[in-house]
């Protein structure tokens, strides 16, 4: 079995391409059961005194737990719930929208207040495909731990992940996470014989380590986080490829793409360290360091189709080709004290950021135009928390201030029965919102602070078989930045509100499980912010055991968003912008799946977009999640996960 799986993984590396993604020329995971406190799970010994390793002997913790002085060692997740959800949008409970296929640009469905103070870069469309710094797992293993994951999805959707971690000493652990995935185009090709069917390629990896001193006073966590992401931009289906059928979705036959030669490429390198030292009982000092460097490149060597279909409104420098490169660099240091005093956990910090953005674009005479922004920012902050004996019940208060500019205040109370909170922020616009200059778009905006006041509350009702979690979110927003119908950054200087009501419910009668998540959203100004009025997820499963060793879960799930004028996508800036031409969604998305577990090996088989297919003799491919980008049609996928503990 091990030999077979090894051959499969090596074969996938060969098929996917082992080389680094090339840069175009112009001519991103922490769930698991709580394992308790201490140095790790107990090592079981059988009658022959042979050590048996497993999920209890390879546990992990998160930086946030150390930071909050509530270190928890989590057990490796071996359950098969949600295991069939390999797609990034599905893993986010469909609260992300992409361009119909994973690996493409993405955005949030719902409004999310900005909590990170200071001027951010603003190029975030590919962030879900990178390893998130705060989600990296730091391990304490009693034996080498390796985790292998492989998915072969329909339409050329292939994912490979390899994780390895081991203790070099009882107090030092080193590890790595590697991700490789590829996807193929769903339209705009001449078939399998086409030499360019690839849509997206991704390499991501993290090297991480953690160390604690013998007296447990000093703790160090560190990681190097890398993303290399490449996409062949298509600009959506060309308008002459479409034939709209209002009673049965969108019908098309071998559609062409708006772009033929456009490419986007993003590369990120992040160095991150956290260290703390206990000076006295209840008193610690800590330091956080970040160095981030990003490069985003867009190129299109032939603008013939862009001119034909009117994709760009302007050609300021060159009407034949486009190439631009935007770089971002950040140095950040955070120094603070923390500890516990009279039952309260406290933190106080000083944070310093040095950030800059440099843009360059090629003109028709082969000269280069440039633009630049930089910021030097200083912050002070305070955090207080009171925990009950059960650390899941707490009251927290947080304050942070960017001297002379940004401001955040947050309070939250969490108990077994409810959760309620308030957040108020004044945040700087991103670099790309303030300044952009290239061949087709340009703007200069004032950096007036964006303000949002947010109130949220949730009630938790739990019985043996039933869980209910109704929720209310209210946002009052002022000076909101958006991108108009010409894809130009604008600031709306009046206030408007967003109200979302809904929640989650779970019912477990016997071996059945029924899960539902529904939201109803009202926006007082639909001219600048568009959210589907109704949003729903539903899943039903049945669990059973075959031959006492094969654990099986069969089920299906449904997702639905009401029809609305979803934002279109501009690859030049990686931003989604307003459009009034085409309504998207309004179609039920369905899946059927089988999850299985044999010992510690997990597998799944699923039919994605199962309801799509032949309808009255016509081939119906489905619907748009982003205007002119169809969701991948019906496809069969398979996946396996094999954790090794010795």
């Amino acid at each position: 079995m091990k030999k077979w799986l090894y051959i499969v993984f090596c074969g996938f590396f060969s098929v996917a391409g082992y080389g680094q993604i090339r840069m175009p020329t112009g001519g991103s995971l922490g769930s698991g059961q709580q394992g308790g406190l201490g140095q790790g799970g107990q090592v079981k010994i059988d009658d022959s005194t042979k050590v048996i390793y497993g999920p209890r002997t390879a546990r992990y913790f998160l930086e946030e737990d150390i930071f909050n002085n509530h270190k928890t060692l989590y057990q490796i997740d071996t359950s098969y719930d949600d295991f069939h959800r390999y797609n990034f949008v599905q893993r986010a409970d469909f609260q992300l929208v992409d361009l119909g296929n994973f690996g493409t640009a993405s955005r949030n469905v719902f409004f999310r207040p900005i909590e990170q103070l200071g001027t951010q870069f603003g190029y975030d469309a590919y962030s879900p495909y990178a390893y998130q710094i705060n989600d990296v797992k730091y391990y304490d293993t009693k034996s080498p731990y390796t985790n292998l994951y492989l998915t072969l999805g329909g339409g050329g959707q292939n994912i490979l992940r390899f994780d390895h971690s081991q203790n070099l000493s009882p107090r030092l652990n080193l590890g790595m996470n590697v991700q490789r995935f590829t996807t193929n185009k769903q339209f705009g090709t001449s078939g399998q014989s086409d030499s360019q069917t690839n849509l997206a390629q991704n390499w991501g990896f993290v090297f991480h380590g953690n160390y604690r001193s013998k007296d447990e006073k000093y703790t160090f966590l560190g990681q190097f986080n890398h993303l290399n992401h490449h996409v062949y931009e298509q600009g959506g289906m060309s308008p002459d490829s479409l034939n709209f059928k209002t009673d049965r979705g969108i019908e098309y036959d071998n559609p062409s793409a708006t772009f033929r030669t456009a490419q986007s490429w993003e590369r990120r390198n992040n160095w991150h360290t956290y260290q703390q030292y206990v000076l006295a009982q209840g008193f610690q000092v800590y330091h956080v360091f970040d160095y981030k460097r990003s490069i985003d490149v867009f190129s299109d060597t032939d603008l013939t189709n862009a001119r034909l279909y009117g994709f760009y409104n302007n050609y300021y420098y060159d009407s034949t080709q486009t190439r631009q490169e935007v770089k971002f660099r950040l140095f950040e240091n955070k120094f603070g004290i923390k500890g516990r005093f009279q039952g309260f956990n406290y933190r106080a910090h000083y944070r310093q950021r040095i950030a800059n953005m440099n843009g360059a674009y090629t003109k028709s005479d082969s000269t280069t135009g440039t633009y630049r922004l930089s910021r030097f920012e200083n912050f002070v902050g305070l955090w207080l928390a009171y925990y009950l004996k059960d650390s899941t019940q707490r009251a927290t208060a947080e304050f942070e201030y960017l001297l002379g500019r940004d401001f955040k205040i947050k309070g939250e109370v969490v108990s077994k029965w409810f959760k309620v909170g308030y957040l108020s922020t004044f945040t700087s616009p991103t670099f790309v919102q303030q300044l952009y200059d290239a061949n087709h778009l340009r703007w200069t905006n004032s950096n007036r602070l964006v303000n949002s006041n947010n109130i949220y509350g949730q009630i938790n009702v739990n019985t043996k078989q039933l869980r209910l979690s109704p929720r209310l979110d209210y946002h009052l927003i002022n000076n909101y930045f958006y991108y108009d119908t010409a894809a130009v950054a604008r600031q709306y200087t009046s206030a408007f509100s967003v109200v979302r009501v809904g929640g989650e419910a779970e019912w477990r009668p016997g071996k059945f499980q029924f899960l539902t998540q529904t939201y109803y959203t009202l926006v007082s100004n639909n001219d600048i912010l568009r959210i589907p009025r109704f949003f729903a997820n539903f899943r039903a499963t049945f669990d059973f055991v075959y031959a006492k060793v094969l654990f099986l879960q069969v089920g299906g799930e449904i997702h639905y968003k009401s029809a609305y004028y979803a934002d279109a996508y501009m690859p030049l800036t990686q931003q989604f912008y307003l459009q009034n031409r085409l309504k998207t969604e309004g179609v039920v998305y369905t899946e059927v799946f089988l999850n299985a577990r044999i010992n510690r090996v997990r597998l799944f088989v699923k039919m994605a977009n199962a309801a799509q297919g032949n309808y009255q003799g016509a081939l119906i491919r489905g619907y748009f999640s982003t205007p002119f980008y169809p969701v991948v049609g019906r496809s069969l996928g398979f996946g396996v996960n094999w954790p090794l503990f010795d």
Side-chain angles (χ1 to χ4, degrees):
M1 179 68 176
K2 291 185 178 180
K3 181 178 180 181
W4 173 84
L5 191 58
Y6 176 77
I7 293 172
V8 171
F9 271 80
C10 291
F12 177 77
F13 264 112
S14 300
V15 173
Y18 196 77
Q20 189 177 19
I21 300 170
R22 74 179 186 273
M23 173 176 163
T25 60
S28 184
L29 312 157
S31 64
Q33 298 175 350
Q34 182 171 328
L37 303 175
Q39 300 301 313
Q42 182 181 1
V43 179
K44 295 184 179 180
I45 301 178
D46 63 16
D47 294 337
S48 63
T49 69
K50 179 182 177 180
V51 176
I52 301 174
Y53 298 107
R56 294 182 178 273
T57 65
R59 300 192 178 189
Y60 67 90
F61 58 91
L62 302 175
E63 181 178 320
E64 181 181 13
D65 298 321
I66 300 293
F67 192 43
N68 293 331
N69 290 327
H70 276 273
K71 180 180 178 180
T72 300
L73 290 174
Y74 301 94
Q75 184 174 311
I76 303 299
D77 185 12
T78 58
S79 69
Y80 51 47
D81 281 340
D82 291 339
F83 184 61
H84 63 284
R85 286 186 159 190
Y86 65 85
N87 184 290
F88 290 83
V89 169
Q90 295 168 1
R91 287 164 57 187
D93 287 332
F94 293 92
Q95 295 187 31
L96 283 179
V97 171
D98 60 15
L99 306 186
N101 202 341
F102 77 80
T104 54
S106 63
R107 65 174 178 87
N108 291 316
V109 173
F110 299 110
F111 172 78
R112 292 188 178 182
I114 301 170
E115 294 197 43
Q116 180 65 54
L117 301 190
T119 308
Q120 307 301 312
F121 185 25
Y123 282 74
D124 298 314
Y126 301 126
S127 291
Y129 311 121
Y131 285 100
Q132 304 303 307
I133 290 177
N134 294 331
D135 294 337
V136 170
K137 301 173 182 178
Y138 296 94
Y139 285 87
D140 182 8
T141 63
K142 305 305 179 186
S143 66
Y145 165 62
T146 301
N147 193 42
L148 306 175
Y149 177 89
L150 172 67
T151 289
L152 302 176
Q157 303 175 65
N158 302 313
I159 307 175
L160 172 66
R161 296 192 184 98
F162 172 84
D163 303 332
H164 180 78
S165 181
Q166 68 180 83
N167 279 24
L168 301 186
S169 74
R171 298 183 302 278
L172 174 64
N173 178 279
L174 296 178
M176 65 176 178
N177 311 108
V178 180
Q179 172 181 269
R180 166 68 168 169
F181 71 72
T182 61
T183 59
N184 287 345
K185 296 176 180 177
Q186 304 301 306
F187 62 93
T189 69
S190 57
Q192 295 298 322
S193 60
D194 196 323
S195 60
Q196 177 41 50
T197 61
N198 183 259
L199 175 65
Q201 303 179 63
N202 175 283
W203 274 109
F205 59 80
V206 178
F207 295 109
H208 58 82
N210 69 90
Y211 169 80
R212 62 184 183 276
S213 62
K214 188 174 183 179
D215 59 7
E216 301 285 340
K217 288 188 174 183
Y218 177 72
T219 301
F220 176 86
L221 311 176
Q223 61 176 277
F224 172 69
N225 196 316
H226 175 77
L227 171 70
N228 199 334
H229 194 81
H230 177 259
V231 177
Y232 287 95
E233 299 286 0
Q234 296 185 280
M237 289 165 48
S238 60
D240 56 11
S241 300
L242 300 179
N243 180 18
F244 294 98
K245 303 292 185 181
T246 57
D247 60 336
R248 46 184 167 157
I250 301 162
E251 179 184 339
Y252 58 90
D253 181 24
N254 193 24
S256 60
T258 299
F259 290 157
R260 294 179 181 176
T261 56
Q263 302 179 52
S264 290
W265 177 77
E266 177 167 302
R267 183 175 177 178
R268 301 183 187 180
N269 291 315
N270 296 344
W271 294 89
H272 175 82
T273 64
Y274 171 84
Q275 52 187 329
Q276 69 177 37
Y277 186 79
V278 180
L279 290 176
Q281 184 73 21
F283 184 76
Q284 306 160 4
V285 294
Y286 69 91
H287 171 243
V288 184
F289 169 77
D290 283 283
Y291 170 66
K292 300 180 181 181
R293 184 173 182 266
S294 298
I295 302 175
D296 285 89
V297 177
F298 176 83
S299 67
D300 191 345
T301 57
D302 185 357
L303 296 177
T304 302
N305 271 25
R307 293 195 305 271
L308 175 64
Y309 297 121
F311 191 87
Y312 301 120
N313 294 325
N314 302 296
Y315 295 83
Y316 293 118
Y317 303 108
D318 195 336
S319 61
T320 61
Q321 63 179 349
T322 288
R323 190 180 193 279
Q324 65 177 38
E325 181 177 299
V326 186
K327 297 180 180 179
F328 173 76
R329 185 170 296 181
L330 169 70
F331 290 92
E332 182 170 330
N333 280 284
K334 184 177 181 180
F335 303 90
I337 59 173
K338 65 188 184 80
R340 188 175 180 87
F341 179 72
Q342 293 185 351
F344 285 90
N345 281 11
Y346 67 88
R347 289 199 305 265
H349 72 261
Y350 164 73
R351 182 162 66 102
Q352 184 181 84
R353 298 175 81 246
I354 302 174
N356 62 70
M357 175 187 72
N358 292 277
Y361 51 90
T362 303
K363 299 182 180 180
S364 57
D365 58 359
S366 298
T367 61
T368 300
T370 62
Y371 58 96
R372 173 184 172 86
L373 279 179
S374 60
R375 294 288 183 268
F376 179 71
E377 301 171 331
N378 295 276
F379 307 76
V380 292
L382 179 66
W383 179 87
L384 295 173
Y386 183 80
Y387 289 85
L388 301 179
K389 291 183 179 180
D390 179 0
S391 62
T392 61
Q393 301 190 77
R394 61 191 182 275
T396 60
E398 183 179 359
F399 161 83
E400 190 173 33
Y401 176 53
L402 165 57
L403 302 182
R405 286 196 59 78
D406 297 17
F407 175 86
K408 176 175 77 171
I409 184 169
K410 182 178 182 180
E412 186 175 79
V413 177
V414 178
S415 78
K416 296 179 179 178
W417 305 280
F418 67 89
K419 176 180 180 180
V420 62
Y422 171 75
L423 169 67
S424 179
T425 62
F426 289 84
T427 56
S428 299
T430 65
F431 276 127
V432 70
Q433 289 169 346
Q434 295 178 46
L435 178 62
Y436 179 80
D437 190 4
N439 192 21
H440 307 290
L441 295 169
R442 57 171 62 161
W443 60 75
T444 300
N445 290 314
S446 64
N447 54 355
R448 181 181 295 179
L449 297 182
V450 180
N451 170 233
S452 69
N453 289 280
N454 314 275
I455 300 173
Y456 55 93
Q458 178 176 305
I459 299 173
N460 300 316
V461 178
N462 290 288
T463 66
K464 186 176 181 179
Q465 292 186 337
L466 183 66
R467 176 179 62 86
L468 297 175
S469 301
R471 182 182 176 94
L472 168 69
D473 294 86
Y474 173 77
H475 312 282
L476 180 62
I477 309 161
N478 200 5
N479 293 334
Y480 177 71
F481 262 98
Y482 68 101
Y483 292 83
D484 65 15
T485 55
V488 175
R490 306 289 186 188
Q491 190 167 33
Y492 184 74
T493 56
S494 298
F496 68 98
S497 61
V498 178
V499 179
R500 188 183 71 170
V501 294
E504 300 178 4
E506 178 182 7
W507 182 36
R508 290 179 174 268
K511 296 181 180 180
F512 288 93
Q513 180 190 43
F514 301 94
L515 293 166
T516 182
Q517 181 185 58
T518 58
Y519 291 107
Y520 185 80
T521 305
L522 289 174
V523 181
S524 66
N525 192 335
N526 282 296
D527 292 334
I528 62 169
L529 178 61
R530 283 149 187 195
I531 298 173
R533 186 69 59 91
F534 184 71
F535 173 101
N537 293 318
F538 175 78
R539 183 167 79 239
T541 61
F542 176 74
D543 294 75
F544 60 100
V545 181
Y546 178 77
K548 298 182 180 181
V549 295
L550 179 59
F551 294 84
L552 297 167
Q553 181 186 73
V554 61
E557 63 179 312
I558 295 172
H559 169 68
Y560 176 78
K561 300 185 191 78
S562 56
Y564 73 116
Y565 288 101
D567 289 351
Y569 178 64
M570 173 52 69
L572 284 169
T573 56
Q574 291 187 17
Q575 307 301 320
F576 288 79
Y577 65 95
L578 297 172
Q579 62 86 29
N580 301 308
R581 298 172 59 193
L582 177 67
K583 277 193 173 184
T584 66
E585 304 288 356
V587 175
V588 175
Y589 177 92
T590 60
E591 288 192 348
V592 292
F593 58 86
L594 174 68
N595 292 324
R597 179 169 62 85
I598 306 174
N599 195 7
R600 295 165 184 160
V601 178
R602 297 182 291 174
L603 307 98
F604 78 82
V605 178
K606 80 169 182 178
M607 180 68 71
N609 221 342
Q612 294 189 7
N614 287 310
Y615 179 83
Q616 295 182 357
L619 184 60
I620 298 178
R621 297 291 186 180
Y623 65 98
F624 294 136
S625 58
T626 295
F628 302 107
Y629 290 92
V631 173
V632 174
R634 187 171 59 184
S635 59
L636 183 67
F638 164 80
V640 60
N641 171 230
W642 190 358
L644 304 172
F645 297 94
D646 52 21

